[in-house]
Amino acid sequence: GEGKTLTIALAAYLNALERKGVHIVTVNDYLAKRDSVEMGKIFTFLGLTSGYINNDQNDNERKKNYDCDITYATNSELGFDYLRDNMKFSKDEMVQRGHHFAIVDEIDSCLIDEARTPLVISGAAEDKTNQYLAIDKIVKLLEKKDYEIDEKDRNILLTNEGINHVENLFTKAGVLKNNNFYDPENLDLVHFVNQALRANHLFKKDRDYLIKDNGIKIVDELTGRILEGRRFGDGLHQALEAKERIEIQAENQTLASITYQNYFKLYKKISGCTGTAATEAEEFFEIYNLLVVVIPTNKKMIRKDYNDQIFRTEQEKNNAIIEKISECYKKKQPLLVFTSSVSKSEIYSQLLDKMKIKHTILNAKNHENEAEIIANAGKSASVIITTSISGRGVDIQLGGKKGSTNEEQLKKDKNYIKSLGGLFVIGTERMESRRVDNQARGRSGRQGDEGSSIFYVSLEDDLMRIFGSESMNNILQKLGLKDGESIDHPWINKALERAQQKVEARNFDIRKTLIKFDNVLNDQRQVIFSQRKDAMDSDKIFDYSDKFLVEIIDDLIKLKVQKLSEPKSNEFNNKLKTIFGKSLDDDEYKNLISCKDSELRDEIFRKFRIARNARSQILGENQSKEIEKRIFLQSIDLNWKSHIQYLEQLRQVIGLRSYGQKDPLSEFKKEAFVLFEGLLSKIKYDVIKLLLNLNIVVSKEEVSKENDKELTDTKKIGRNEKCPCGSGKKYKHCHGNI
């Protein structure tokens, strides 16, 4: 409408001249592809390459597109590719090539609306299908008095009666331990019940999720789009599958996660644009250090934004909306009707069917046709019912899209629609954020065109019910509002705005808290990811394990010294056994334990070298290096995965420390630091332990192929000599087994 997508091309071209790659971030796959194709013509003409990232691309396609000078992608694809790259085992498999410069189109949607939810990559954990089904049945037996729903925080708690009821049900089923639901041994049960309660009473079908292709698909609460490939974490997705009686997929555990805030801070330079950022200027500056500059519109905006119409009940509001649609439809004025969820859009569709008003419905169920539907939204007598899905990145031409008929006819059609008052936008309720409402309004009255917008609100709407003040209902009652009557007053608009500001302030606090906690994890993530990347790029991987070995020997010598002052301590012996495992027999252990400090150091080094040489002789030095590298990377991944889960659990309970007059964030930082030190130490020990106990299995075919070659090796190691692997067997017997 105002040309943001076109203007981006200028800044993208300038920054792409450094050939370090420019990422243009947009709201959805459709826009990433569309903009890349349309703007790509300019970039190609100027001698640059451009590409786009979509959900269905494989790694080769992604790598090719990231290697372009300019790449269009959604924020989630960029974040997930970054996380996946940091789980790869070789540099060649990585798809991204760095984070140089990002331009974020619709920056408020990408960096604020979606920033409450961290990006999480999950892997399958153990299968608990039957437990989910059983607990879902039990939760469905609970009555209303057994739980309290907190809609503000989207939480649900059992009441005392509910706890007693649950205990009775579980006792009958024979699964309750120690006759107490909150006993530590029943922690798993508590978790399952909480998730089943949330699934059954907080998450609604066709609002929070859809059932499509016999699976549960998450619907983005802000855009109304399906979030492909994403699942709710912590067992909630499985609880929803149990509730809807569809196949339950294995539970996931977090393998890697990052928040959008911290992902976009990886870029050396970041910028963006949107039609609705002024209300969030404070947050942009505080979190991203970005200033908001307001640029005036190209032509004077003449759209009429009517005061909100307030009704007492939803029924009255719906009747008024249908009446308004009918009135505009009769005079053939095009209409765009915004609803808050898929289910609400279908309710209005049914009401219009009864009135025999021809209309199109656009929501997450048919978003593939979005471009075509929206392109024709400006035609006479067009009625489109939509979720927030069509709130961004689409331009509605009055009279119809260019190229559909000849220019002369288009001009006539456009003038005819203008004479009717342009596109009429109807909001069926206020959203949680003023910006989302402004996005809806902004579909109309673009480039100085005529247009109108109006919002209908009832006191039964979620926003008013949860965040609106009680006084508003009292005012309306005092005014003696009759059924079907509405009130239209600037005071009411102000009260509505206050309710929205409350929600926005709350969401800002949630995001601020999220980033403070994630900053702790982010510092650790940077250390782990950079160490992992250095190891992956390194040709001298043996240096890493040698360094670890020196540190471990130093630890062992400290424990040995400690043993002199505490003779009963078995820590030194246990540590030694943990590291060497079954690679030593009892006599060799006794010898090691009785060694002096310098002898101990030399002996451990010798055994480590023998094991490494044996691997190198069987596999060759390059293959041996590759194996050490793979062991190091896998040790990092496995331990990092467990570490993330510890921190997640810690984060869930750390808030309780505030009851002891302690700051939860400071406590989290302290404990996370101790856990991180433990993580680094465990990685070190795991790598050395694996390398000392590693057996190389060579298939019989390989042995026969190498047979002639082996005979010439007898100059180095006699076939009847002891094998250097430390097994104690003769080389000729051992070689087929190791």
Side-chain angles (χ1 to χ4, degrees):
E2 293 299 333
K4 294 189 295 294
T5 310
L6 298 169
T7 312
I8 282 173
L10 308 175
Y13 171 70
L14 179 66
N15 285 276
L17 292 174
E18 291 182 71
R19 300 280 169 162
K20 290 178 183 172
V22 170
H23 292 168
I24 300 177
V25 190
T26 188
V27 191
N28 58 55
D29 277 357
Y30 156 70
L31 289 177
K33 187 174 179 179
R34 184 202 73 178
D35 293 352
S36 167
V37 171
E38 290 185 1
M39 297 294 109
K41 294 170 189 169
I42 300 171
F43 301 132
T44 307
F45 174 73
L46 294 168
L48 295 180
T49 56
S50 71
Y52 65 90
I53 305 295
N54 264 189
N55 190 279
D56 52 6
Q57 290 174 342
N58 62 32
D59 277 4
N60 289 337
E61 291 172 295
R62 283 171 190 268
K63 191 171 172 59
K64 199 174 88 185
N65 285 303
Y66 277 120
D67 286 344
C68 292
D69 297 309
I70 292 160
T71 310
Y72 284 84
T74 62
N75 50 356
S76 61
E77 289 299 325
L78 288 166
F80 282 131
D81 280 337
Y82 170 70
L83 291 176
R84 280 192 289 260
D85 274 357
N86 283 288
M87 294 163 75
K88 301 274 173 67
F89 288 110
S90 93
K91 199 177 178 182
D92 300 336
E93 292 172 14
M94 294 172 79
V95 295
Q96 288 187 348
R97 59 181 175 129
H99 300 88
H100 173 57
F101 178 55
I103 306 177
V104 189
D105 197 359
E106 310 292 2
I107 193 168
D108 55 328
S109 174
C110 291
L111 298 194
I112 291 180
D113 294 337
E114 295 192 27
R116 269 187 296 166
T117 317
L119 293 169
V120 175
I121 286 185
S122 306
E126 62 182 300
D127 189 7
K128 297 173 183 169
T129 303
N130 294 338
Q131 282 164 290
Y132 282 109
L133 288 167
I135 283 170
D136 187 73
K137 278 180 190 165
I138 284 174
V139 163
K140 282 188 164 85
L141 297 172
L142 296 179
E143 296 159 29
K144 273 209 165 154
K145 61 176 185 193
D146 291 335
Y147 51 82
E148 281 174 5
I149 296 175
D150 177 359
E151 287 187 275
K152 264 187 195 177
D153 291 328
R154 289 203 90 176
N155 206 353
I156 188 160
L157 299 167
L158 287 170
T159 59
N160 287 339
E161 291 110 309
I163 293 166
N164 293 335
H165 196 168
V166 165
E167 282 178 350
N168 288 337
L169 291 167
F170 280 133
T171 305
K172 277 181 196 167
V175 289
L176 192 72
K177 289 169 189 161
N178 303 335
N179 292 327
N180 176 6
F181 182 53
Y182 287 104
D183 188 275
E185 286 193 44
N186 294 319
L187 269 180
D188 268 2
L189 272 185
V190 175
H191 175 71
F192 281 132
V193 168
N194 285 341
Q195 295 298 39
L197 280 167
R198 290 180 71 207
N200 277 284
H201 303 293
L202 284 175
F203 285 76
K204 291 194 172 76
K205 185 179 159 188
D206 287 346
R207 185 190 73 186
D208 303 296
Y209 63 91
L210 294 173
I211 295 177
K212 196 176 180 185
D213 304 331
N214 207 25
I216 282 181
K217 307 275 187 188
I218 304 176
V219 174
D220 186 332
E221 61 178 326
L222 288 152
T223 63
R225 293 174 194 282
I226 288 179
L227 298 173
E228 280 297 345
R230 292 209 211 169
R231 289 173 66 78
F232 291 114
D234 218 16
L236 177 60
H237 212 96
Q238 287 73 13
L240 286 166
E241 286 166 336
K243 167 192 171 185
E244 299 293 350
R245 293 291 181 267
I246 59 178
E247 189 189 342
I248 296 176
Q249 294 181 22
E251 194 175 327
N252 293 333
Q253 58 187 41
T254 303
L255 303 179
S257 76
I258 192 167
T259 56
Y260 281 125
Q261 291 104 318
N262 278 319
Y263 172 72
F264 281 104
K265 283 181 176 180
L266 294 169
Y267 287 91
K268 293 185 183 74
K269 192 158 61 160
I270 181 174
S271 63
C273 50
T274 175
T276 45
T279 52
E280 311 300 324
E282 181 196 345
E283 183 165 350
F284 277 121
F285 187 70
E286 196 170 319
I287 290 181
Y288 301 102
N289 203 22
L290 290 171
L291 290 168
V292 172
V293 179
V294 179
I295 295 168
T297 55
N298 177 30
K299 291 182 180 174
K300 194 168 182 289
M301 215 260 294
I302 57 169
R303 183 183 67 232
K304 289 178 186 161
D305 294 329
Y306 295 103
N307 280 336
D308 296 3
Q309 297 290 312
I310 317 281
F311 294 85
R312 280 186 56 202
T313 67
E314 193 160 358
Q315 182 62 50
E316 292 170 57
K317 177 187 82 170
N318 288 352
N319 293 341
I321 289 171
I322 297 300
E323 206 174 297
K324 187 73 184 171
I325 293 173
S326 187
E327 181 193 314
C328 294
Y329 183 69
K330 275 175 189 158
K331 63 174 191 178
K332 296 197 170 176
Q333 184 175 7
L335 277 160
L336 196 55
V337 183
F338 278 88
T339 64
S340 62
S341 66
V342 175
S343 53
K344 293 258 175 82
S345 66
E346 286 171 347
I347 288 167
Y348 286 107
S349 175
Q350 285 160 10
L351 292 171
L352 289 182
D353 282 338
K354 281 182 190 167
M355 299 286 292
K356 295 196 167 44
I357 293 175
K358 199 174 158 207
H359 63 279
T360 308
I361 191 165
L362 172 60
N363 58 33
K365 289 183 177 178
N366 67 337
H367 66 103
E368 298 86 358
N369 311 322
E370 178 181 350
E372 191 54 38
I373 293 170
I374 286 297
N376 293 309
K379 283 187 170 178
S380 71
S382 156
V383 179
I384 293 173
I385 297 174
T386 179
T387 52
S388 306
I389 197 165
S390 57
R392 293 184 183 268
V394 286
D395 208 21
I396 296 167
Q397 300 289 333
L398 297 184
K401 66 171 181 175
K402 285 175 182 163
S404 54
T405 52
N406 63 55
E407 288 291 315
E408 199 59 43
Q409 188 58 43
L410 267 177
K411 218 172 195 180
K412 274 185 191 170
D413 291 348
K414 184 169 183 173
N415 289 332
Y416 174 61
I417 300 296
K418 280 180 149 192
S419 71
L420 297 175
L423 179 71
F424 204 123
V425 170
I426 294 178
T428 59
E429 65 184 88
R430 284 288 192 169
M431 298 295 200
E432 280 191 358
S433 158
R434 286 170 294 169
R435 279 177 305 103
V436 179
D437 292 342
N438 291 341
Q439 282 287 346
R441 277 202 160 123
R443 297 304 94 204
S444 170
R446 292 158 90 85
Q447 289 292 354
D449 283 343
E450 283 79 1
S452 319
S453 75
I454 189 166
F455 279 85
Y456 287 84
V457 181
S458 85
L459 296 186
E460 292 176 354
D461 291 350
D462 289 347
L463 179 80
M464 301 307 292
R465 202 166 39 77
I466 302 169
F467 295 96
S469 58
E470 283 297 309
S471 57
M472 200 180 291
N473 198 10
N474 300 338
I475 292 170
L476 296 188
Q477 278 176 330
K478 277 177 190 167
L479 290 169
L481 225 64
K482 296 187 184 77
D483 279 357
E485 274 187 346
S486 71
I487 188 163
D488 158 357
H489 198 283
W491 283 2
I492 300 281
N493 285 14
K494 276 274 176 285
L496 268 168
E497 207 166 289
R498 276 197 298 276
Q500 284 177 311
Q501 280 168 344
K502 269 188 210 171
V503 187
E504 285 167 16
R506 234 181 110 266
N507 290 344
F508 183 24
D509 284 343
I510 291 169
R511 288 191 292 270
K512 269 205 293 198
T513 309
L514 179 74
I515 195 171
K516 280 176 189 167
F517 278 94
D518 192 64
N519 281 341
V520 178
L521 182 59
N522 196 49
D523 295 340
Q524 299 183 2
R525 188 191 294 117
Q526 294 305 325
V527 172
I528 288 291
F529 282 4
S530 64
Q531 193 171 21
R532 202 183 180 285
K533 194 167 181 294
D534 291 347
M536 201 160 64
D537 297 346
S538 172
D539 293 332
K540 298 178 179 173
I541 196 69
F542 287 168
D543 293 355
Y544 280 87
S545 30
D546 289 348
K547 185 171 162 246
F548 290 166
L549 190 64
V550 169
E551 289 171 13
I552 284 172
I553 292 170
D554 289 344
D555 289 350
L556 283 169
I557 288 170
K558 279 180 198 163
L559 289 173
K560 197 167 187 291
V561 171
Q562 192 182 322
K563 191 173 168 65
L564 295 173
S565 55
E566 299 171 36
K568 285 184 179 175
S569 168
N570 278 329
E571 209 176 333
F572 170 68
N573 298 19
N574 293 342
K575 210 55 161 222
L576 205 58
K577 279 193 173 175
T578 307
I579 295 165
F580 279 97
K582 291 178 181 174
S583 66
L584 298 183
D585 57 30
D586 289 346
D587 292 339
E588 286 173 308
Y589 269 124
K590 282 173 190 167
N591 289 338
L592 266 181
I593 289 165
S594 58
C595 280
K596 290 178 183 168
D597 293 354
S598 58
E599 287 172 359
L600 180 71
R601 191 181 291 273
D602 293 343
E603 192 57 27
I604 293 175
F605 262 121
R606 194 177 71 78
K607 293 203 176 300
F608 189 73
R609 290 274 182 275
I610 287 171
R612 181 183 279 166
N613 291 341
R615 281 196 302 277
S616 296
Q617 284 197 317
I618 296 164
L619 302 164
E621 190 163 323
N622 286 343
Q623 196 66 30
S624 183
K625 276 184 179 175
E626 199 50 48
I627 280 183
E628 284 205 22
K629 187 180 282 189
R630 188 59 70 105
I631 285 172
F632 181 32
L633 296 178
Q634 284 188 335
S635 296
I636 289 178
D637 292 349
L638 280 168
N639 286 300
W640 176 244
K641 185 170 75 180
S642 307
H643 181 69
I644 289 175
Q645 278 169 308
Y646 281 136
L647 288 183
E648 267 183 17
Q649 285 157 359
L650 178 64
R651 191 147 138 188
Q652 282 170 13
V653 296
I654 203 84
L656 299 172
R657 303 271 175 100
S658 57
Y659 291 116
Q661 307 302 309
K662 290 180 177 176
D663 173 29
L665 184 63
S666 304
E667 292 290 298
F668 183 73
K669 282 180 180 172
K670 270 190 272 185
E671 298 218 10
F673 181 70
V674 173
L675 283 169
F676 189 62
E677 282 187 320
L679 166 76
L680 296 178
S681 173
K682 190 161 182 323
I683 290 172
K684 192 165 63 182
Y685 272 90
D686 282 0
V687 170
I688 297 303
K689 186 168 73 183
L690 275 163
L691 290 174
L692 280 166
N693 288 280
L694 185 68
N695 276 349
I696 307 292
V697 178
V698 181
S699 68
K700 284 187 177 151
E701 294 84 38
E702 286 292 322
V703 174
S704 61
K705 268 189 212 167
E706 295 287 316
N707 224 15
D708 299 331
K709 188 174 174 295
E710 272 182 44
L711 287 168
T712 61
D713 285 348
T714 51
K715 291 170 195 157
K716 295 177 197 162
I717 303 167
R719 287 173 59 72
N720 290 316
E721 284 177 34
K722 262 190 176 182
C723 183
C725 75
S727 66
K729 294 180 182 177
K730 287 182 179 176
Y731 182 72
K732 65 178 180 183
H733 297 303
C734 191
H735 197 72
N737 301 322
I738 65 168

